[in-house]
Amino acid sequence: MASIDYNQVTDGAAHPAIGPVQPEVSDLLGIARRGLLFIVAGTIFGLVCALVILSTMPPVYKASSRIAFERTLPRYMQTNKVSNEPIIDDYDTWGQTYVISSENILLQAIRSLSLANDPDFVGGKDSQTLGSRVRGLLRNMAEALGYSEPVQNQSNDPEKIALGKLVRDLTVSREDVASVISVGFSSNDPAKAAAIVNAIVDKYVNDTISSKMKSTNVAGKVVQERVEELKQQAKDAERAVLEYKMANNLVGTGTTTLSGEQLATLQTHMTNARVAMAEAKARMERIARDPDASALFAPDNELISRMRSELLDLSVRAKDIEGRVGKDHLAVVKVRKRMEEVREAIATEQKRVAGSFSKNYELARAQYDELAAAMSRAMGEEGANSDVKARMRELESAAETLRSLYNQAVQQFSQMNRVEAQPAITPDVRVLMRASPPTQTESSKKRWLIIAGGSIFGFLLGSAIVLARNFPFGVFRTSQQVTQATGLPCAVLPELTGADEQASLRTGDYVVDWPYSRFSQTLRSIWATINIAQRESGSKVVCVVSSNPGEGKTTVAINLAAHFGLHSNTRVLVIDADFHRQSLSSRIAPDATAGLREALEEPKAFAKFVVRKERLNLDVLPCPASDRLTNAAELLGTVEMEQLIEVARQTYDLVIIEAPPMAAVVDYKMIARHCSGFIFVVQWGTTSQRLVRECLSDASAIMDRVLCVVLNKVDPTALRSIEHYKGDGFQNYYTEQKKA
């Protein structure tokens, strides 16, 4: 059994990926240019659909009316007590749209116009519109599929049927102005549409006035009942106050009791007695300390006043006599002597009065004590009456509150009576524009919109188809995208669609039969890249890989080897190293019974298992196998495989190995160490950019040895569109004619 040297299987550090590449505007324009036929066809299809819809639509006329909610006059009348009606504010207009479309208003309009007998509203299938038929069809389909329950027990009431028709064709919406509402109705008859809208508006206005009258009457009755109730409550409260006063000996209209009045009087007298006692005590104590000061504190009585007057007269008389006869005259001496006697009499009388201060203090003290005792008795009686006073205040407060409420209610009721006596029911709704029979159908108004919508729909449909066929995101569409995503040069191989071309391509004869085609010229470009690598680094072993199966690596490997064999003196060997599918062997060596697996047993003598292709001037080491091998990776990693590659390198000028897909199996890792160069094949418009980046990142050891990336199976039409900037002369160097 062959041994495997795992030490030689290495995988270095991950190579940094450049990242995803999104399509540019020019790429999208190129896709649109290539799919222009689909886009035009889709636009035409949408336009035809719009025209079909317009042709099947019956003429529909829509009449409309506008109403506005007037709030200035009702608010003024309510503020000035002229009216007591409610006002509809802006935030209520949304609710009024539902009121207008309510069953109550619509049934009134139906009855006024006898719509229950109108065939357009209660007729059979002939009166159904396209929309109703479509809705019925969708409803029947939903019932058949079980998505909805069958509608049973449908009403046979003509009014209900007419109501349903009226609701479907009625539109009630608020305009850009918050206080304006638009009412519209669509019908085949313009006069009928206008009549229905006007009837709905009139019924709504009348219903509004009726509702206001009812609310005003109800409010009046409620206020009247409230007035009577408050009147009775006020009477009961006043009666309770009066009875309580009588029961508790309360006087007047205040809350003061008899003991309370006595307490106030005694308080006043007691204060005066306290002041008088203090004054008497102060005079008595001062006289006791200084008897000579009695003249300062003794009050002047009538006797003292006469003596003071006499003393004043004597003083004037003495000065007069002394001025005429001198101070030593006998008359002057007598007068002055009399003055001394009067002074002594005054002093004697003052002492007598001062001597009575102690008695005055005792009298004031006795009076104060008597008042204090009376005060104590009165305060006891007042404490007993405190609960009575609190209850009295409570009853009087309740009676006062009820009287105030009663007066307010009476005033409000009288104002309402004055308002009701006047014709003050002012409607809040003003009809800005009554509906008139429209002269232009609703479908004609929307004709251009439907045509434009159909055209846009068709355009988008065609664009979606083109985009689905040429999805540009996440895949490779141009060589520039490959280079930007991988950092590697890229070669473009167009897809060959002819049967002869396909057959020749599978066997490698294409480069012989079509040597001047774009495909062959691209192979020459890859050949030149490999030649340069051979001169610079002596590369002899080149491995052709891809990320997924079906990307065309087998075709590239066969035709690249055939090109080397036919157009140079190079000895070329092609090795089919795919033990899983053996695509290369089935194409160019279908009759082989032995190959690579047997050659690994005799690596130095593998030449006896090689198949010679004379027309292509190359040798092939096939890999025939009846069943898929489970140890394919182990076989490719053995020392015998290394020896086989070494012998092939010495024998041939170029060895091309086709390896299994990188994303599917790990076989390529076993072959990588034997290869000096890699050709990475990517399928145009199919291979994921993310997958390619993951494969190259996982196999970072071979990243520096990838000679180029081949963008395979490129749509020729797309390729011409992508390379249109190169001009027509660029294509003249290629010819797709088969060589004779």
Side-chain angles (χ1 to χ4, degrees):
M1 182 67 182
S3 61
I4 302 174
D5 186 6
Y6 287 97
N7 294 328
Q8 297 184 16
V9 181
T10 59
D11 192 1
H15 191 277
I18 296 178
V21 178
Q22 300 300 333
E24 299 179 355
V25 177
S26 58
D27 299 331
L28 298 178
L29 292 177
I31 293 174
R33 188 184 301 108
R34 296 192 298 273
L36 184 61
L37 180 61
F38 289 96
I39 296 175
V40 173
T43 305
I44 295 175
F45 173 76
L47 183 60
V48 171
C49 291
L51 295 176
V52 171
I53 293 175
L54 290 176
S55 64
T56 58
M57 289 178 58
V60 178
Y61 299 88
K62 183 175 182 180
S64 60
S65 175
R66 290 190 179 92
I67 58 177
F69 292 93
E70 180 64 37
R71 295 180 301 276
T72 304
L73 180 58
R75 185 177 287 113
Y76 171 80
M77 297 177 67
Q78 190 181 72
T79 304
N80 293 275
K81 307 301 180 182
V82 179
S83 174
N84 198 33
E85 302 166 359
I87 300 175
I88 298 177
D89 293 323
D90 289 342
Y91 57 83
D92 291 332
T93 54
W94 277 119
Q96 294 304 309
T97 60
Y98 294 97
V99 174
I100 295 174
S101 58
S102 64
E103 183 176 349
N104 180 33
I105 301 297
L106 298 183
L107 284 178
Q108 294 182 41
I110 289 172
R111 291 163 186 164
S112 64
L113 297 176
S114 300
L115 297 180
N117 301 322
D118 193 332
D120 292 339
F121 286 83
V122 295
K125 295 184 178 180
D126 294 337
S127 62
Q128 294 182 358
T129 62
L130 177 62
S132 63
R133 293 179 181 178
V134 171
R135 287 192 296 270
L137 178 60
L138 294 177
R139 183 170 56 253
N140 294 334
M141 292 176 60
E143 294 175 0
L145 295 175
Y147 291 106
S148 64
E149 297 181 357
V151 180
Q152 299 178 354
N153 299 327
Q154 293 184 351
S155 175
N156 294 323
D157 186 0
E159 287 189 351
K160 295 296 183 181
I161 299 175
L163 178 63
K165 168 69 175 176
L166 188 60
V167 170
R168 285 195 300 269
D169 296 333
L170 179 67
T171 57
V172 181
S173 60
R174 193 166 75 166
E175 298 290 338
D176 51 354
V177 179
S179 59
V180 178
I181 289 180
S182 176
V183 181
F185 184 77
S186 301
S187 175
N188 298 335
D189 187 351
K192 184 182 295 183
I196 291 174
V197 171
N198 291 329
I200 293 174
V201 171
D202 293 340
K203 296 302 178 183
Y204 172 70
V205 174
N206 294 335
D207 185 75
T208 303
I209 296 175
S210 177
S211 299
K212 292 175 66 176
M213 292 179 64
K214 290 180 181 179
S215 63
T216 302
N217 294 334
V218 171
K221 292 180 180 179
V222 171
V223 172
Q224 184 178 4
E225 293 175 357
R226 181 61 176 166
V227 167
E228 295 297 333
E229 181 182 358
L230 290 175
K231 180 179 180 182
Q232 186 62 37
Q233 291 178 357
K235 288 182 179 180
D236 294 341
E238 291 177 354
R239 185 180 299 108
V241 171
L242 182 59
E243 291 176 354
Y244 194 80
K245 285 184 177 181
M246 294 176 62
N248 292 277
N249 195 22
L250 301 177
V251 297
T253 59
T255 59
T256 305
T257 61
L258 294 177
S259 59
E261 293 180 352
Q262 293 175 0
L263 184 63
T265 303
L266 288 174
Q267 183 70 33
T268 303
H269 291 326
M270 188 174 177
T271 301
N272 296 334
R274 185 185 294 111
V275 173
M277 183 181 67
E279 291 178 353
K281 184 178 180 181
R283 288 195 296 268
M284 181 185 70
E285 292 176 351
R286 181 63 183 274
I287 292 299
R289 290 195 302 270
D290 188 7
D292 296 333
S294 58
L296 299 175
F297 295 96
D300 292 345
N301 53 18
E302 184 179 357
L303 178 59
I304 294 176
S305 298
R306 287 201 306 269
M307 287 189 291
R308 288 186 184 281
S309 178
E310 182 181 0
L311 180 62
L312 181 61
D313 292 341
L314 290 174
S315 177
V316 173
R317 184 177 177 185
K319 288 182 180 181
D320 182 47
I321 295 174
E322 185 178 352
R324 289 198 301 265
V325 296
K327 62 180 181 178
D328 295 331
H329 193 272
L330 181 60
V332 174
V333 173
K334 289 181 178 181
V335 172
R336 292 192 178 279
K337 183 178 179 181
R338 178 60 183 163
M339 291 175 61
E340 290 297 329
E341 292 176 354
V342 173
R343 287 192 181 94
E344 291 178 0
I346 290 174
T348 302
E349 181 64 21
Q350 288 178 343
K351 289 179 181 180
R352 185 188 66 77
V353 172
S356 63
F357 284 170
S358 60
K359 295 181 179 181
N360 291 339
Y361 172 71
E362 292 176 357
L363 290 174
R365 179 63 182 269
Q367 185 179 6
Y368 177 77
D369 292 341
E370 183 179 356
L371 290 173
M375 185 70 177
S376 299
R377 292 193 299 272
M379 289 182 66
E381 295 177 359
E382 183 68 15
N385 293 329
S386 60
D387 294 338
V388 175
K389 293 172 62 178
R391 177 59 179 166
M392 186 63 196
R393 285 193 296 270
E394 181 181 350
L395 292 175
E396 288 186 342
S397 176
E400 183 65 26
T401 301
L402 289 173
R403 279 195 297 271
S404 177
L405 293 175
Y406 172 70
N407 293 332
Q408 293 178 2
V410 170
Q411 183 180 4
Q412 183 180 4
F413 184 65
S414 62
Q415 291 175 353
M416 291 183 65
N417 288 336
R418 289 199 304 270
V419 169
E420 291 177 358
Q422 303 172 1
I425 299 299
T426 57
D428 290 335
V429 180
R430 175 185 295 180
V431 180
L432 300 179
M433 181 185 69
R434 293 189 65 83
S436 59
T439 58
Q440 190 177 15
T441 62
E442 187 180 12
S443 59
S444 62
K445 296 179 182 178
K446 298 181 180 179
R447 183 177 301 276
W448 292 110
L449 180 62
I450 294 175
I451 293 175
S455 302
I456 293 174
F457 170 76
F459 174 80
L460 295 177
L461 179 62
S463 300
I465 295 175
V466 172
L467 192 62
R469 288 170 54 88
N470 302 273
F471 192 74
F473 300 98
V475 295
F476 295 106
R477 292 283 178 180
T478 63
S479 59
Q480 291 81 2
Q481 290 180 345
V482 175
T483 302
Q484 291 175 9
T486 62
L488 300 170
C490 178
V492 178
L493 288 177
E495 183 180 18
L496 304 178
T497 57
D500 294 341
E501 293 176 329
Q502 287 283 350
S504 179
L505 194 65
R506 289 178 59 85
T507 59
D509 296 329
Y510 184 83
V511 294
V512 180
D513 299 334
W514 284 272
Y516 305 110
S517 65
R518 174 67 181 270
F519 189 95
S520 299
Q521 293 298 332
T522 303
L523 290 179
R524 289 188 181 91
S525 176
I526 301 173
W527 167 78
T529 302
I530 295 175
N531 266 341
I532 294 174
Q534 286 180 328
R535 294 176 183 176
E536 293 179 353
S537 60
S539 300
K540 280 192 174 184
V541 182
V542 176
C543 182
V544 180
V545 295
S546 66
S547 55
N548 268 333
E551 296 186 89
K553 61 181 175 57
T554 301
T555 302
V556 173
I558 295 174
N559 287 273
L560 182 61
H563 181 81
F564 268 93
L566 292 174
H567 297 88
S568 65
N569 297 323
T570 305
R571 298 182 62 193
V572 182
L573 173 66
V574 179
I575 300 177
D576 185 359
D578 189 351
F579 285 105
H580 302 278
R581 291 196 174 183
Q582 308 93 30
S583 300
L584 189 146
S585 299
S586 62
R587 291 187 184 183
I588 60 177
D591 299 329
T593 58
L596 179 61
R597 184 177 181 182
E598 290 75 16
L600 290 176
E601 298 176 358
E602 302 178 64
K604 295 183 178 180
F606 75 91
K608 61 182 178 179
F609 302 105
V610 171
V611 177
R612 178 65 180 175
K613 302 296 292 184
E614 293 294 343
R615 188 169 189 267
L616 302 178
N617 190 28
L618 59 86
D619 295 339
V620 179
L621 180 59
C623 183
S626 57
D627 297 324
R628 185 173 179 178
L629 300 180
T630 58
N631 61 338
E634 286 80 354
L635 291 176
L636 296 176
T638 58
V639 176
E640 287 76 5
M641 183 65 183
E642 182 179 3
Q643 294 176 357
L644 188 151
I645 296 297
E646 183 61 31
V647 173
R649 183 183 290 111
Q650 296 174 1
T651 306
Y652 294 92
D653 298 319
L654 179 64
V655 179
I656 297 178
I657 303 175
E658 184 203 3
M662 299 175 64
V665 291
V666 297
D667 297 12
Y668 76 94
K669 292 185 178 181
M670 302 302 175
I671 303 174
R673 60 194 178 93
H674 307 308
C675 303
S676 53
F678 290 86
I679 303 297
F680 195 91
V681 180
V682 174
Q683 185 175 352
W684 179 84
T686 302
T687 305
S688 170
Q689 295 184 16
R690 180 178 178 181
L691 179 62
V692 171
R693 292 196 308 273
E694 288 180 357
C695 291
L696 293 178
S697 177
D698 187 50
S700 57
I702 70 171
M703 189 68 180
D704 295 334
R705 288 178 283 166
V706 177
L707 302 178
C708 70
V709 178
V710 177
L711 186 59
N712 194 28
K713 300 182 182 180
V714 180
D715 184 8
T717 304
L719 185 60
R720 285 194 297 272
S721 176
I722 293 171
E723 296 179 344
H724 73 282
Y725 65 93
K726 296 182 179 180
D728 297 334
F730 172 77
Q731 302 293 337
N732 295 335
Y733 281 90
Y734 307 127
T735 176
E736 302 300 329
Q737 294 181 358
K738 187 175 181 179
K739 184 178 179 182

